[in-house]
Amino acid sequence: MTNLAPTIRLNNGREMPTLGLGTWKSFESDAYHSTRHALDVGYRHLDTAFVYENEAEVGQAISEKIAEGVVTREEVFVTTKLGGIHHDPALVERACRLSLSNLGLEYVDLYLMHMPVGQKFHNDSNVHGTLELTDVDYLDTWREMEKLVDLGLTRSIGLSNFNAAQTERVLANCRIRPVVNQVECHPGFQQRQLREHAKRHGLVICAYCPLARPQPARQWPPFLYDEHAQNLAKKYGRTTAQICLRYLVQLGVVPLPKSSNKARIEENFRVFDFELSPDDVAGMEQYHTGQRTVPFSGMSGHKYYPFNDEF
């Protein structure tokens, strides 16, 4: 019997595994092989996006593992995201159907608005858009996303890269509540205020870059390489990456570590059979710098740019 991650209950009653495979910057064959291996290991939560340009490969891996009897569709929690070029309300349903076609699925479990900032639509193949930003109100986009739940195209909808004020604006005006906010979160950027805000409002924080895009040549970030991190890893008989992921899990955050390395995909998943002491959890707070690794600085002048606020 494969060991699975525990699940967390979302505000609509659905269950989401508390750790997932991230696929940002997993290109084509990497995304395919990573997803296949992750499902064999026990991952049941997979995170992709239209702009990652790997939905087809992730979907192919899922369909093969269903055919092999490794998983059923109902056992896999699949997230994808609405790209900035599809914020125009007239494009939302078509964009979701395009992602479903890429994935080869009839529905996704979670569909996120990737950013509150929209980009000008030229064509679907212009995946990353341009820095021609639009003034489409994310509330108008959200109302179209709500209809995707009605249509059965997604089970849940949520936010990504929204700040607290933007989240509250959605909550005050929505018919269907967002279940998560997916944001950068790791020991170097701990999102304490946003986590507390999300908890008060019944949203789960999912963490992209939960290991902050490590740079081994620079021995960066410190929480993977410094003496304190090494000592913690020795104390628990784990790797420093496992300590970081376990830390996030204990904060109630759902980490989405990305790897295309088979051994690391397995290692990242093995964080549910040990627990950090309260003192060691508190000790991780020393690593918070308040510095993002993904600031989306090209959008910083836009009225809906989320990171000008403190949280």
Side-chain angles (χ1 to χ4, degrees):
M1 173 71 184
T2 304
N3 288 325
L4 304 178
T7 61
I8 189 167
R9 179 158 288 199
L10 303 173
N11 62 33
N12 61 2
R14 297 191 179 275
E15 300 284 330
M16 178 174 70
T18 52
L19 185 142
L21 179 75
T23 63
W24 182 43
K25 293 190 179 291
S26 279
F27 299 113
E28 297 169 353
S29 65
D30 271 0
Y32 167 74
H33 291 295
S34 298
T35 303
R36 280 182 59 89
H37 188 60
L39 289 169
D40 285 339
V41 167
Y43 287 75
R44 295 295 181 265
H45 180 174
L46 306 168
D47 183 87
T48 182
F50 177 74
V51 301
Y52 297 174
E53 298 182 272
N54 60 18
E55 289 172 318
E57 290 75 21
V58 170
Q60 183 186 351
I62 294 168
S63 65
E64 288 177 5
K65 287 299 168 184
I66 291 172
E68 291 170 24
V70 174
V71 292
T72 64
R73 171 64 189 94
E74 291 69 33
E75 290 170 337
V76 185
F77 190 100
V78 182
T79 299
T80 194
K81 308 178 190 77
L82 179 79
I85 64 169
H86 292 133
H87 274 218
D88 184 321
L91 297 174
V92 172
E93 181 184 332
R94 193 172 67 79
C96 182
R97 290 187 185 276
L98 178 58
S99 284
L100 290 173
S101 174
N102 290 340
L103 286 159
L105 298 175
E106 293 181 2
Y107 69 92
V108 287
D109 297 273
L110 179 58
Y111 197 55
L112 303 182
M113 195 185 314
H114 210 146
M115 279 286 286
V117 180
Q119 296 160 271
K120 188 169 182 181
F121 177 79
H122 292 285
N123 55 66
D124 292 318
S125 60
N126 184 32
V127 170
H128 299 284
T130 62
L131 284 176
E132 296 173 273
L133 306 179
T134 69
D135 283 334
V136 175
D137 189 332
Y138 55 82
L139 283 185
D140 294 331
T141 311
W142 184 258
R143 291 183 182 110
E144 294 303 312
M145 289 177 63
E146 291 174 325
K147 295 175 187 175
L148 304 176
V149 179
D150 303 334
L151 290 167
L153 302 180
T154 183
R155 298 271 170 90
S156 305
I157 48 178
L159 310 172
S160 181
N161 297 303
F162 274 59
N163 64 33
Q166 291 169 332
T167 302
E168 285 190 23
R169 187 166 173 252
V170 172
L171 289 168
N173 291 280
C174 66
R175 177 171 61 85
I176 298 176
R177 292 169 64 82
V179 295
V180 309
N181 189 10
Q182 186 183 128
V183 296
E184 179 177 350
C185 185
H186 48 75
F189 193 72
Q190 296 183 10
Q191 295 274 26
R192 183 179 58 80
Q193 290 165 293
L194 193 66
R195 283 190 284 112
E196 290 171 358
H197 181 271
K199 189 173 182 179
R200 283 199 305 276
H201 291 282
L203 274 70
V204 173
I205 292 290
C206 295
Y208 66 77
C209 297
L211 303 174
R213 305 173 75 188
Q215 298 174 35
R218 281 181 59 208
Q219 296 281 285
W220 186 92
F223 57 79
L224 291 179
Y225 295 104
D226 76 6
E227 186 178 2
H228 178 72
Q230 301 292 343
N231 288 340
L232 265 186
K234 281 190 195 120
K235 174 179 174 180
Y236 289 95
R238 301 289 167 149
T239 66
T240 55
Q242 286 173 316
I243 297 294
C244 291
L245 295 172
R246 180 66 208 179
Y247 170 67
L248 293 174
V249 167
Q250 284 183 226
L251 293 181
V253 170
V254 174
L256 303 167
K258 176 261 171 185
S259 183
S260 52
N261 177 293
K262 277 191 168 187
R264 275 197 287 277
I265 288 170
E266 293 176 34
E267 172 191 309
N268 290 342
F269 194 67
R270 306 283 178 234
V271 296
F272 298 106
D273 57 349
F274 75 104
E275 190 162 329
L276 301 177
S277 72
D279 284 350
D280 288 334
V281 169
M284 294 294 283
E285 291 180 8
Q286 67 178 294
Y287 289 117
H288 178 70
T289 64
Q291 288 295 113
R292 296 177 186 275
T293 64
V294 191
F296 294 99
S297 48
M299 298 180 172
S300 60
H302 194 275
K303 65 179 177 180
Y304 294 141
Y305 178 70
F307 305 148
N308 289 327
D309 288 20
E310 187 184 354
F311 67 97

Coordinates of all heavy atoms in Angstrom, one line a residue, residues 183-221:
V183 N 0.6 31.3 -3.1 CA 1.5 32.4 -3.0 C 2.9 31.8 -2.8 O 3.1 30.7 -2.4 CB 1.2 33.4 -1.9 CG1 -0.2 34.1 -2.2 CG2 1.1 32.7 -0.5
E184 N 3.9 32.7 -3.0 CA 5.3 32.3 -2.6 C 5.4 32.2 -1.1 O 4.9 33.1 -0.4 CB 6.3 33.3 -3.1 CG 7.7 33.0 -2.7 CD 8.8 34.0 -3.2 OE1 8.4 34.8 -4.1 OE2 9.9 33.9 -2.8
C185 N 5.9 31.1 -0.5 CA 6.0 31.0 0.9 C 7.1 29.9 1.2 O 7.1 28.8 0.7 CB 4.7 30.5 1.5 SG 4.6 30.4 3.3
H186 N 8.0 30.3 2.0 CA 9.1 29.5 2.4 C 9.8 30.1 3.7 O 9.4 31.2 4.1 CB 10.2 29.3 1.3 CG 10.6 30.6 0.6 ND1 11.4 31.5 1.2 CD2 10.2 31.2 -0.5 CE1 11.6 32.6 0.5 NE2 10.8 32.4 -0.6
P187 N 10.7 29.4 4.3 CA 11.3 30.0 5.5 C 11.9 31.4 5.4 O 11.9 32.2 6.3 CB 12.4 29.0 6.0 CG 11.8 27.7 5.5 CD 11.2 28.0 4.1
G188 N 12.3 31.8 4.2 CA 12.8 33.1 3.9 C 11.8 34.1 3.7 O 12.0 35.3 3.7
F189 N 10.6 33.7 3.4 CA 9.4 34.6 3.1 C 8.2 33.9 3.7 O 7.5 33.2 3.0 CB 9.3 34.9 1.6 CG 8.4 36.0 1.3 CD1 8.8 37.3 1.6 CD2 7.2 35.8 0.7 CE1 7.9 38.4 1.3 CE2 6.3 36.8 0.4 CZ 6.7 38.1 0.7
Q190 N 8.0 34.1 4.9 CA 7.1 33.2 5.7 C 5.6 33.6 5.6 O 4.7 32.8 6.0 CB 7.5 33.2 7.2 CG 8.9 32.5 7.2 CD 9.4 32.3 8.7 OE1 8.7 32.5 9.6 NE2 10.7 32.0 8.8
Q191 N 5.3 34.8 5.1 CA 3.9 35.2 4.9 C 3.0 35.1 6.2 O 1.8 34.7 6.1 CB 3.2 34.3 3.8 CG 3.9 34.5 2.4 CD 3.3 35.6 1.6 OE1 2.8 36.6 2.2 NE2 3.3 35.5 0.3
R192 N 3.6 35.4 7.3 CA 2.8 35.3 8.6 C 1.5 36.0 8.6 O 0.4 35.4 8.9 CB 3.7 35.7 9.8 CG 3.0 35.5 11.1 CD 3.9 35.9 12.3 NE 4.3 37.3 12.2 CZ 3.5 38.3 12.6 NH1 2.3 38.1 13.0 NH2 4.0 39.5 12.5
Q193 N 1.5 37.3 8.2 CA 0.3 38.1 8.2 C -0.8 37.6 7.2 O -1.9 37.5 7.5 CB 0.6 39.5 8.0 CG 1.3 40.2 9.1 CD 1.9 41.5 8.7 OE1 2.8 41.6 7.9 NE2 1.4 42.6 9.2
L194 N -0.3 37.2 6.0 CA -1.2 36.7 5.0 C -1.8 35.3 5.4 O -2.9 35.0 5.2 CB -0.5 36.6 3.7 CG -1.5 36.3 2.5 CD1 -2.4 37.5 2.3 CD2 -0.7 36.0 1.2
R195 N -0.9 34.5 6.1 CA -1.4 33.2 6.6 C -2.5 33.4 7.7 O -3.5 32.7 7.6 CB -0.2 32.4 7.2 CG 0.7 31.8 6.1 CD 1.7 30.8 6.8 NE 2.8 31.4 7.4 CZ 3.0 31.4 8.7 NH1 2.1 30.8 9.6 NH2 4.0 32.0 9.3
E196 N -2.3 34.3 8.5 CA -3.2 34.6 9.6 C -4.5 35.1 9.0 O -5.6 34.7 9.4 CB -2.7 35.6 10.6 CG -1.6 34.9 11.5 CD -0.8 36.0 12.3 OE1 -1.2 37.2 12.2 OE2 0.1 35.6 13.1
H197 N -4.4 36.0 8.0 CA -5.6 36.5 7.3 C -6.4 35.4 6.6 O -7.6 35.3 6.7 CB -5.1 37.6 6.3 CG -6.2 38.2 5.6 ND1 -6.7 37.7 4.4 CD2 -7.0 39.4 5.8 CE1 -7.7 38.5 4.0 NE2 -7.9 39.5 4.8
A198 N -5.7 34.5 5.9 CA -6.3 33.4 5.2 C -7.0 32.5 6.2 O -8.2 32.1 5.9 CB -5.3 32.7 4.4
K199 N -6.4 32.2 7.3 CA -7.0 31.4 8.3 C -8.3 32.0 8.8 O -9.3 31.3 9.0 CB -6.0 31.1 9.4 CG -6.5 30.0 10.4 CD -5.4 29.7 11.4 CE -5.8 28.6 12.4 NZ -4.8 28.3 13.3
R200 N -8.3 33.3 9.1 CA -9.5 33.9 9.6 C -10.7 33.8 8.6 O -11.8 33.8 9.0 CB -9.2 35.4 9.9 CG -8.5 35.7 11.2 CD -8.6 37.1 11.6 NE -8.2 38.1 10.6 CZ -7.0 38.5 10.4 NH1 -6.0 38.0 11.1 NH2 -6.7 39.4 9.5
H201 N -10.3 33.8 7.3 CA -11.3 33.8 6.3 C -11.6 32.4 5.7 O -12.3 32.3 4.7 CB -11.0 34.8 5.2 CG -11.0 36.3 5.7 ND1 -12.2 36.9 5.8 CD2 -10.1 37.1 6.1 CE1 -12.0 38.2 6.2 NE2 -10.7 38.3 6.4
G202 N -11.0 31.4 6.3 CA -11.2 30.1 5.8 C -10.6 29.6 4.5 O -11.0 28.7 3.8
L203 N -9.5 30.3 4.1 CA -8.7 29.9 2.9 C -7.5 29.2 3.3 O -6.9 29.5 4.4 CB -8.3 31.2 2.1 CG -9.3 31.7 1.1 CD1 -10.5 32.4 1.8 CD2 -8.7 32.7 0.2
V204 N -7.1 28.3 2.5 CA -5.8 27.5 2.7 C -4.7 28.3 1.9 O -5.0 28.7 0.7 CB -5.9 26.1 2.2 CG1 -4.6 25.4 2.2 CG2 -6.9 25.3 3.1
I205 N -3.5 28.4 2.5 CA -2.4 28.9 1.7 C -1.6 27.8 1.1 O -1.2 26.9 1.8 CB -1.5 29.8 2.6 CG1 -2.2 31.1 3.1 CG2 -0.1 30.1 1.9 CD1 -2.4 32.1 2.0
C206 N -1.5 27.8 -0.2 CA -0.6 26.9 -0.9 C 0.7 27.6 -1.2 O 0.6 28.8 -1.6 CB -1.3 26.3 -2.2 SG -2.7 25.4 -1.9
A207 N 1.8 26.9 -1.1 CA 3.1 27.5 -1.3 C 3.8 27.1 -2.5 O 4.2 25.9 -2.7 CB 4.0 27.2 -0.1
Y208 N 4.0 28.1 -3.5 CA 4.9 27.8 -4.6 C 6.3 28.2 -4.1 O 6.5 29.0 -3.2 CB 4.5 28.4 -5.9 CG 4.5 29.9 -6.0 CD1 5.6 30.7 -6.2 CD2 3.3 30.6 -6.0 CE1 5.6 32.0 -6.3 CE2 3.2 32.0 -6.2 CZ 4.4 32.7 -6.3 OH 4.3 34.1 -6.4
C209 N 7.4 27.7 -4.8 CA 8.7 28.0 -4.4 C 8.9 27.7 -2.9 O 9.5 28.5 -2.2 CB 9.2 29.4 -4.7 SG 9.2 29.8 -6.4
P210 N 8.5 26.6 -2.3 CA 8.6 26.3 -0.9 C 10.0 26.1 -0.4 O 10.3 26.2 0.8 CB 7.8 25.1 -0.7 CG 7.8 24.3 -2.0 CD 7.8 25.4 -3.0
L211 N 11.0 26.0 -1.4 CA 12.4 25.9 -1.0 C 13.1 27.1 -1.6 O 14.4 27.1 -1.7 CB 13.0 24.6 -1.5 CG 12.3 23.3 -1.0 CD1 12.9 22.1 -1.6 CD2 12.4 23.2 0.5
A212 N 12.4 28.1 -2.1 CA 13.0 29.3 -2.6 C 13.9 29.2 -3.8 O 14.9 30.0 -3.9 CB 13.6 30.1 -1.5
R213 N 13.7 28.3 -4.7 CA 14.6 28.2 -5.9 C 16.1 28.1 -5.5 O 16.8 29.0 -5.8 CB 14.3 29.3 -6.8 CG 12.8 29.4 -7.2 CD 12.5 30.6 -8.0 NE 12.9 30.5 -9.4 CZ 12.9 31.5 -10.3 NH1 12.4 32.7 -9.9 NH2 13.3 31.3 -11.5
P214 N 16.5 27.0 -4.9 CA 17.9 26.9 -4.4 C 19.0 27.1 -5.4 O 18.8 26.7 -6.6 CB 17.9 25.4 -3.9 CG 16.5 25.0 -3.7 CD 15.7 25.8 -4.7
Q215 N 20.1 27.7 -5.0 CA 21.2 27.9 -5.8 C 22.4 27.3 -5.1 O 23.1 27.9 -4.3 CB 21.5 29.4 -6.0 CG 20.3 30.1 -6.7 CD 20.5 31.6 -6.8 OE1 21.6 32.1 -6.9 NE2 19.4 32.3 -6.7
P216 N 22.7 26.0 -5.3 CA 23.7 25.3 -4.6 C 25.1 25.9 -4.7 O 25.9 26.0 -3.7 CB 23.7 23.9 -5.2 CG 22.4 23.7 -5.8 CD 21.9 25.1 -6.2
A217 N 25.4 26.5 -5.9 CA 26.8 27.1 -6.1 C 27.0 28.3 -5.1 O 28.1 28.5 -4.7 CB 26.9 27.5 -7.5
R218 N 25.9 28.9 -4.8 CA 26.0 30.1 -3.9 C 25.7 29.7 -2.4 O 25.7 30.5 -1.5 CB 24.9 31.2 -4.2 CG 25.3 32.0 -5.4 CD 24.2 33.1 -5.6 NE 23.9 33.9 -4.5 CZ 22.7 34.4 -4.2 NH1 21.7 34.2 -5.0 NH2 22.5 35.2 -3.1
Q219 N 25.3 28.4 -2.2 CA 24.9 27.9 -0.9 C 23.8 28.8 -0.4 O 23.7 29.3 0.7 CB 26.1 28.0 0.1 CG 27.2 27.0 -0.3 CD 26.9 25.5 0.1 OE1 26.9 25.2 1.3 NE2 26.5 24.7 -0.9
W220 N 22.8 29.0 -1.3 CA 21.6 29.9 -1.0 C 20.4 29.1 -1.3 O 20.3 28.4 -2.3 CB 21.7 31.2 -1.8 CG 20.6 32.1 -1.5 CD1 20.7 33.2 -0.6 CD2 19.3 32.2 -2.0 NE1 19.6 33.8 -0.5 CE2 18.6 33.3 -1.3 CE3 18.6 31.4 -2.9 CZ2 17.3 33.6 -1.6 CZ3 17.3 31.7 -3.2 CH2 16.6 32.8 -2.5
P221 N 19.3 29.2 -0.5 CA 19.2 30.1 0.7 C 19.8 29.5 2.0 O 20.0 28.3 2.0 CB 17.6 30.1 0.8 CG 17.2 28.8 0.3 CD 18.1 28.5 -0.8

